[in-house]
Amino acid sequence: AQSVTQLGSHVSVSEGALVLLRCNYSSSVPPYLFWYVQYPNQGLQLLLKYTSAATLVKGINGFEAEFKKSETSFHLTKPSAHMSDAAEYFCAVSVSWSSASKIIFGSGTRLSIRP
Amino acid sequence: DAGVTQSPTHLIKTRGQQVTLRCSPKSGHDTVSWYQQALGQGPQFIFQYYEEEERQRGNFPDRFSGHQFPNYSSELNVNALLLGDSALYLCASRPRQGIMNTEAFFGQGTRLTVV
């Protein structure tokens, strides 16, 4: 069964510091992976997606993620944190059957930015 | 282009009551999924609709039911509400074609509080 695991429910970094949010996946087939962000009292917004075209994926707001098959990881990074990056981040994998699909989410990582 | 729209944004119901939540998908999308997000957790898949039929269901009781209309909009119905049904309910839409590697677009959600 496909799944994702996010390491660390809460990460706190200083403004301007490197952001690293960890995600590991489990999949018997090549996965389709996503990172979503959720600001307070809002829905989910896509940051970036991996669909096997390139292992280094660039997303919005300066975020990027690298797919590493040998480590079954898809960690999210940003070189320099900004106060506006404070939010909940979810790693996710797309799962499909013959007639349907769903997205399985990790438990989320809350990112706090210290001034 | 309007994205996914959900109504209402907030709702308070009493235990035992029934509730209906509504969703209009993003233009050009024909597949609608519903997710439940309890406080502090990642979204959990409830079910998916395509061509007005339920195509896949997550681990939710029969009290949760849905419907999709010919214009692709959808409703989520929950009967005999329990306190544990209090959550943010998210609607997501995707185009059927290439569904595996296309991201889901999410609405802002309906915050349901059961008292």
Side-chain angles (χ1 to χ4, degrees):
Chain A
Q2 293 175 302
S3 65
V4 290
T5 301
Q6 292 184 243
L7 304 176
S9 59
H10 183 210
V11 171
S12 179
V13 303
S14 298
E15 191 174 17
L18 171 70
V19 174
L20 171 60
L21 304 183
R22 300 178 186 274
C23 173
N24 287 90
Y25 69 89
S26 173
S27 177
S28 58
V29 298
Y32 291 106
L33 297 165
F34 307 91
W35 275 99
Y36 282 88
V37 61
Q38 186 176 37
Y39 297 100
N41 300 314
Q42 293 192 25
L44 300 169
Q45 180 184 6
L46 181 74
L47 278 176
L48 49 81
K49 64 180 181 181
Y50 168 75
T51 58
S52 75
T55 57
L56 183 61
V57 181
K58 294 187 182 299
I60 63 172
N61 302 337
F63 284 94
E64 62 181 36
E66 186 172 7
F67 175 76
K68 292 186 176 181
K69 185 177 179 180
S70 60
E71 299 177 7
T72 62
S73 68
F74 190 57
H75 301 333
L76 181 70
T77 61
K78 182 174 180 178
S80 177
H82 191 274
M83 295 300 290
S84 61
D85 294 327
E88 188 87 17
Y89 292 80
F90 294 96
C91 181
V93 62
S94 184
V95 180
S96 71
W97 303 266
S98 59
S99 61
S101 69
K102 70 178 181 181
I103 296 177
I104 298 174
F105 289 87
S107 55
T109 298
R110 182 164 60 91
L111 177 63
S112 300
I113 311 297
R114 302 187 300 271
Chain B
D1 173 31
V4 179
T5 58
Q6 292 186 242
S7 63
T9 55
H10 294 83
L11 206 52
I12 300 175
K13 289 287 188 179
T14 303
R15 276 181 300 175
Q17 284 189 315
Q18 178 264 343
V19 68
T20 297
L21 311 181
R22 296 176 175 81
C23 171
S24 292
K26 179 178 171 63
S27 177
H29 290 185
D30 52 7
T31 301
V32 174
S33 300
W34 287 92
Y35 292 80
Q36 180 194 66
Q37 185 179 19
L39 199 61
Q41 298 182 22
Q44 298 293 316
F45 176 76
I46 302 175
F47 43 52
Q48 183 179 77
Y49 277 83
Y50 172 64
E51 290 186 337
E52 302 178 47
E53 290 188 18
E54 183 181 300
R55 299 293 178 169
Q56 189 63 228
R57 189 178 186 90
N59 188 26
F60 281 82
D62 291 345
R63 298 187 297 108
F64 290 76
S65 62
H67 189 78
Q68 185 179 35
F69 300 93
N71 66 354
Y72 308 125
S73 66
S74 176
E75 288 182 349
L76 165 65
N77 301 292
V78 186
N79 295 321
L81 285 167
L82 304 174
L83 294 179
D85 295 332
S86 296
L88 181 68
Y89 287 85
L90 295 164
C91 174
S93 72
R94 297 168 94 174
R96 181 68 181 172
Q97 188 150 7
I99 194 168
M100 271 296 286
N101 62 358
T102 57
E103 65 271 27
F105 286 79
F106 285 81
Q108 296 290 83
T110 295
R111 173 72 64 187
L112 172 65
T113 302
V114 182
V115 297

